Amino acid sequence: MAMAEALSELAALLGPEAGPGPGAAAARLGAAEAALSLSGSAEGRRLLAAHPAVLEALLGLAAGPRPCPAAGRCLLNVAAEPQARGPLLAALPALLGLLPAGPACGTLANLCRDPPGARRVLRGLEESGRGLEPLLGALGEPRPPPELGPLLCNLSQVPEGRRALLDRSRCSLQRLLPFTQYQDSVGHRRGIVGALRNCCFEHEHHEWLLGDEVDILPFLLLPLAGPEEFPEDEMEKLPVDLQYLPPDKQREEEPDIRKMLLEAIMLLTATKAGRHAVREKGTYLVLRELHRWEQEPDVLAACEKLIQVLIGDEPGPGMENLLEVSIPEEVEQRLQRLDREEEERWQREREEQRQEQEQDKEQEQDEAREQDKAREQDQEPWR
């Protein structure tokens, strides 16, 4: 009961009931900071998610004339709770108006972690008249928000999202390709690679993806390539971007991203024409060296499966398109579970990053206080 009353008071402080004036604005800011701190724990997120009035007030602050960053970050955290998704999806137009800000991207990424949520967000984007353009346009910024990649990945889990990214008239997918080696944010890179992998499920686009207009394969192979030197006859088989790599060339450092890159290439080999195109571009040579270097069992297994497809015999009649072969239900459920685990890992990483930033800030404040104290002691008169 006491907690319910406290949350009601918090909602009042966050909302317009606090009144006008500088004092009320400061009170709202303090309440938003308190809500953000509360959202740092699982129990706190559940409490906030169960109080729609608090969510409504936070959204009002985040989308107000003077957006409150603490409110936006709090919504991002709380959106991970299933109980919060209904109220926040009901306020979808206001959230979409905050795009492409990072907290808004992160909030929407959490809201569309399952297919119904992804479809709801995609429908809202279409109804806004802008579609994916606010998200794709943000890819052109010097530092795109790191939450953008996970949002695009989650949207691409449904056919509608993949179709939007594969819209040839807008060159949408081509805007994602440079980020397979983006070093400023692992989360963004992971999300982009996940979106590319998901788009590779659409086998009718494989010829276009592997052709000159998109040429996706070098972007998938380059993060898997190391500094190894090849004999001249083998070097000539590789795409130009993979030839004569520098001796300090590093492979993708995240095992799950390496695995998704391999899965994307595997999907591109689903058709006979795709297998031929992937073989002709020297893919086996890169995989051969990766297999010698790789230590992670899951990634190693994915690499071995892809190598087997490339060097093995062609499938028999009726199985030329591997994506049209029936998949057992238990295998499909396992793939879905792995996707959920990837999203949960991303959420944990964001939480750890936030805690590290808070610790660094506290340490800086402690050091500043110690310096101030030392200066005060130096200024004391001799007695």
Side-chain angles (χ1 to χ4, degrees):
M1 187 68 178
M3 182 57 70
E5 291 177 358
L7 287 170
S8 297
E9 291 177 5
L10 181 62
L13 286 172
L14 290 166
E17 295 88 350
R28 278 192 285 271
L29 180 59
E33 293 286 354
L36 176 59
S37 178
L38 187 61
S39 71
S41 68
E43 183 180 0
R45 289 192 293 272
R46 286 193 293 270
L47 288 170
L48 292 170
H51 208 291
V54 173
L55 300 180
E56 182 180 355
L58 286 167
L59 186 56
L61 281 179
R66 294 183 178 179
C68 174
R73 294 198 300 273
C74 181
L75 287 173
L76 188 160
N77 293 340
V78 178
E81 295 297 321
Q83 195 171 358
R85 293 176 192 172
L88 290 178
L89 284 171
L92 191 56
L95 285 171
L96 294 177
L98 298 175
L99 291 174
C105 288
T107 301
L108 291 169
N110 278 331
L111 294 179
C112 61
R113 291 169 70 177
D114 56 12
R119 291 190 176 93
R120 181 79 174 273
V121 172
L122 283 165
R123 189 164 62 248
L125 286 166
E126 287 299 319
E127 291 172 353
S128 72
R130 299 182 295 169
L132 294 184
E133 189 52 40
L135 308 181
L136 297 173
L139 292 173
E141 297 178 1
R143 289 180 66 99
E147 300 86 353
L148 180 54
L151 174 56
L152 290 169
C153 182
N154 287 352
L155 291 174
S156 67
Q157 70 179 295
V158 296
E160 302 93 319
R162 296 194 288 274
R163 284 197 294 269
L165 287 174
L166 290 164
D167 185 345
R168 304 185 187 189
S169 66
R170 298 179 181 273
C171 294
S172 301
L173 188 123
Q174 288 92 321
R175 299 194 226 181
L176 275 60
L177 297 177
F179 293 96
T180 60
Q181 292 209 106
Y182 185 67
Q183 295 302 310
D184 288 348
S185 169
V186 173
H188 181 61
R189 186 169 75 249
R190 178 180 290 115
I192 292 295
V193 171
L196 291 173
R197 178 200 59 182
N198 290 346
C199 287
C200 290
F201 276 99
E202 304 298 321
H203 62 85
E204 63 271 18
H205 293 277
H206 282 183
E207 184 177 353
W208 175 69
L209 290 171
L210 289 165
D212 293 339
E213 191 172 351
V214 178
D215 198 18
I216 191 174
L217 190 58
F219 292 95
L220 301 176
L221 284 175
L222 192 54
L224 299 173
E228 295 84 8
E229 295 183 5
F230 294 95
E232 198 65 30
D233 60 328
E234 291 186 341
M235 189 74 75
E236 292 176 354
K237 298 177 182 178
L238 294 168
V240 174
D241 290 342
L242 278 86
Q243 294 181 9
Y244 304 104
L245 296 177
D248 60 349
K249 169 68 172 70
Q250 299 292 315
R251 288 185 171 88
E252 167 58 55
E253 61 184 16
E254 298 295 327
D256 61 318
I257 299 181
R258 294 198 300 274
K259 186 168 181 284
M260 286 193 289
L261 290 164
L262 290 166
E263 289 169 347
I265 301 171
M266 175 69 90
L267 289 167
L268 292 171
T269 65
T271 63
K272 185 175 182 178
R275 289 189 289 276
H276 175 75
V278 172
R279 288 189 186 108
E280 287 297 304
K281 293 188 178 181
T283 301
Y284 168 74
L285 301 174
V286 177
L287 298 181
R288 182 187 69 194
E289 301 305 319
L290 173 65
H291 188 268
R292 292 171 177 168
W293 173 89
E294 185 61 65
Q295 299 294 319
E296 293 291 332
D298 289 350
V299 186
L300 198 58
C303 184
E304 290 171 353
K305 289 177 184 177
L306 180 52
I307 289 175
Q308 184 59 44
V309 169
L310 295 179
I311 67 175
D313 297 332
E314 278 293 312
M319 297 187 67
E320 292 86 353
N321 188 333
L322 302 178
L323 286 177
E324 292 181 343
V325 177
S326 177
I327 301 175
E329 184 178 353
E330 62 272 15
V331 175
E332 187 172 359
Q333 290 175 351
R334 180 173 178 270
L335 292 173
Q336 292 173 351
R337 177 176 59 79
L338 291 173
D339 283 342
R340 288 195 298 270
E341 289 175 356
E342 288 173 8
E343 288 302 315
E344 290 168 0
R345 185 187 302 114
W346 171 75
Q347 188 68 29
R348 287 196 302 271
E349 288 176 356
R350 280 197 53 81
E351 178 64 20
E352 291 171 0
Q353 184 181 22
R354 185 189 66 79
Q355 291 177 355
E356 288 176 0
Q357 290 173 346
E358 288 183 354
Q359 290 173 357
D360 291 342
K361 185 177 179 181
E362 289 177 0
Q363 185 176 354
E364 290 174 1
Q365 291 173 343
D366 290 341
E367 291 174 353
R369 283 193 290 268
E370 289 295 328
Q371 291 174 359
D372 291 342
K373 186 177 179 181
R375 281 195 295 268
E376 289 174 359
Q377 291 173 347
D378 290 342
Q379 293 170 2
E380 288 183 359
W382 289 95
R383 298 185 184 275

